[in-house]
Amino acid sequence: DEKPPLSFRDGRLLLVAISRLPYEHQIRHLTKLASAISDAFIMYDKDKHLQKIIVENPEVSRFLSRVITIYAASLNIATSPMLRDVLFKQVGPCQYSLPQLHNIGDILNGSTGKEGNWYKRESCFMGLFEDWESPAVPNGEETPSKKIPGNVLLKTETIFELALVLGFRCAPRDFGQLLFASWNAAGRKGTWDPKELVPSSIKPFTPSKSLACILLELREDLCTVAFQIRGTKASLPESLLGQKLKKCSAAMSLPLNDTLGIMLTKAETVFSAISEKSDRMGGKYEQIDLTLLESHGRSRMT
């Protein structure tokens, strides 16, 4: 089978190359990458014709999902230097050729792979380490974490939110690949943004935010509360995020009554919007493409 653009091997090659750069050069690379990807998703969000092309062509949305996955992994490599040795060990000695390029017409025509054999490592990976089906980042030898500039983090939030909105619309044709890639990537913010790991309070409910943003916040709220209830003895996977959560658990001190009230308000907002959309469609939930995620409002785009 012909390799898809930005395949699993291409993604690993890019990570190996990034990991060998000095930290300052990594940040320069990530800043440009964040700007390019966020600009692209903002353009897709505004251009209904482009949205239609992406939604109707699963090869395009799958390509975008690989962009999201590789970008998130690049952030992990830049912030956690110990991952370089883990990556080198898992990749091993390989013979690499330059990443393969495709004409956009070939992608739109679906000629870069057979639809019946769509689920394979090279095109459907959720991670770039040992388990390609898992977004988990392995935990290596502890070293001081590096910081990602605030402007890059803001653009990263925009990327994941808009990708999630688009992912809901693409899910019927790409089997949820863009949706899962953006959802998984957004859940790893704590590995490159330490303040996300020790929230002093749950983010307040803001009606003007998009439902995609509220969904992501609600997921973070649930994980934070569950971890606080279970305490430091909670069993967590031996991943980078799991180990950082264990170290930060003592600093978590949230008033659960207030927290649960805010979470219920967020959940009620999401379900009310879905119910309202369903009522207008005669109760047919399965046909909801969740465009309501974008019509409810917009969070700040940077």
Side-chain angles (χ1 to χ4, degrees):
D1 287 343
E2 193 175 3
K3 280 203 318 176
L6 277 187
S7 67
F8 180 77
R9 284 172 58 85
D10 294 340
R12 280 189 154 187
L13 176 60
L14 180 60
L15 283 196
V16 168
I18 291 174
S19 71
R20 298 181 67 89
L21 294 173
Y23 170 71
E24 294 75 15
H25 291 188
Q26 292 182 10
I27 294 303
R28 193 182 308 163
H29 160 80
L30 288 171
T31 300
K32 292 180 180 179
L33 197 56
S35 295
I37 299 174
S38 62
D39 288 348
F41 274 98
I42 289 172
M43 179 177 63
Y44 303 152
D45 184 62
K46 294 178 178 178
D47 192 323
K48 300 301 180 184
H49 177 67
L50 274 177
Q51 281 186 31
K52 188 172 185 292
I53 292 175
I54 296 170
V55 169
E56 293 180 353
N57 294 274
E59 288 298 325
V60 179
S61 60
R62 288 174 187 154
F63 171 78
L64 293 177
S65 76
R66 295 192 290 273
V67 170
I68 294 291
T69 300
I70 293 172
Y71 173 66
S74 300
L75 289 170
N76 282 124
I77 285 289
T79 53
S80 302
M82 82 286 189
L83 288 176
R84 174 179 170 176
D85 291 339
V86 177
L87 179 66
F88 283 8
K89 184 182 295 185
Q90 293 184 2
V91 171
C94 293
Q95 186 114 28
Y96 276 103
S97 56
L98 289 175
Q100 187 170 0
L101 300 178
H102 289 276
N103 183 285
I104 186 63
D106 294 336
I107 298 175
L108 294 178
N109 292 330
S111 61
T112 60
K114 296 180 180 179
E115 185 65 24
N117 189 28
W118 66 275
Y119 189 69
K120 49 192 175 183
R121 186 186 70 170
E122 289 301 311
S123 58
C124 295
F125 56 91
M126 288 288 115
L128 288 163
F129 289 91
E130 190 170 21
D131 185 358
W132 64 272
E133 294 179 295
S134 170
V137 177
N139 184 46
E141 183 180 353
E142 185 60 30
T143 57
S145 295
K146 302 288 187 179
K147 291 183 178 180
I148 297 293
N151 63 320
V152 175
L153 292 174
L154 285 174
K155 289 180 179 180
T156 299
E157 289 184 4
T158 296
I159 292 168
F160 294 160
E161 182 184 334
L162 293 180
L164 184 68
V165 172
L166 188 57
F168 273 109
R169 301 194 64 194
C170 295
R173 287 186 171 87
D174 73 357
F175 303 105
Q177 188 170 340
L178 178 57
L179 175 63
F180 290 133
S182 54
W183 181 258
N184 290 337
R188 286 154 56 188
K189 285 195 301 182
T191 59
W192 56 72
D193 188 6
K195 71 177 186 294
E196 293 285 341
L197 291 175
V198 194
S200 57
S201 63
I202 293 295
K203 292 179 181 177
F205 171 68
T206 307
S208 60
K209 288 184 177 179
S210 70
L211 288 184
C213 183
I214 295 174
L215 273 175
L216 292 173
E217 281 187 8
L218 189 56
R219 188 261 297 275
E220 293 172 10
D221 297 347
L222 287 168
C223 292
T224 300
V225 170
F227 188 74
Q228 188 181 7
I229 291 174
R230 294 166 67 188
T232 56
K233 296 182 179 179
S235 175
L236 290 171
E238 292 297 318
S239 65
L240 182 63
L241 181 58
Q243 294 307 307
K244 288 192 175 185
L245 277 171
K246 282 184 179 180
K247 292 187 177 181
C248 295
S249 61
M252 292 184 182
S253 179
L254 305 176
L256 287 183
N257 287 340
D258 295 341
T259 294
L260 292 174
I262 295 173
M263 291 167 59
L264 285 172
T265 302
K266 293 177 181 179
E268 183 182 16
T269 301
V270 174
F271 282 114
S272 294
I274 293 176
S275 177
E276 180 183 348
K277 179 83 171 184
S278 176
D279 289 342
R280 292 201 301 267
M281 299 177 67
K284 297 179 180 179
Y285 281 93
E286 68 277 5
Q287 294 184 11
I288 297 177
D289 63 8
L290 292 189
T291 51
L292 59 95
L293 286 169
E294 57 189 353
S295 63
H296 181 76
R298 284 290 176 210
S299 59
R300 179 180 58 189
M301 300 299 175
T302 303

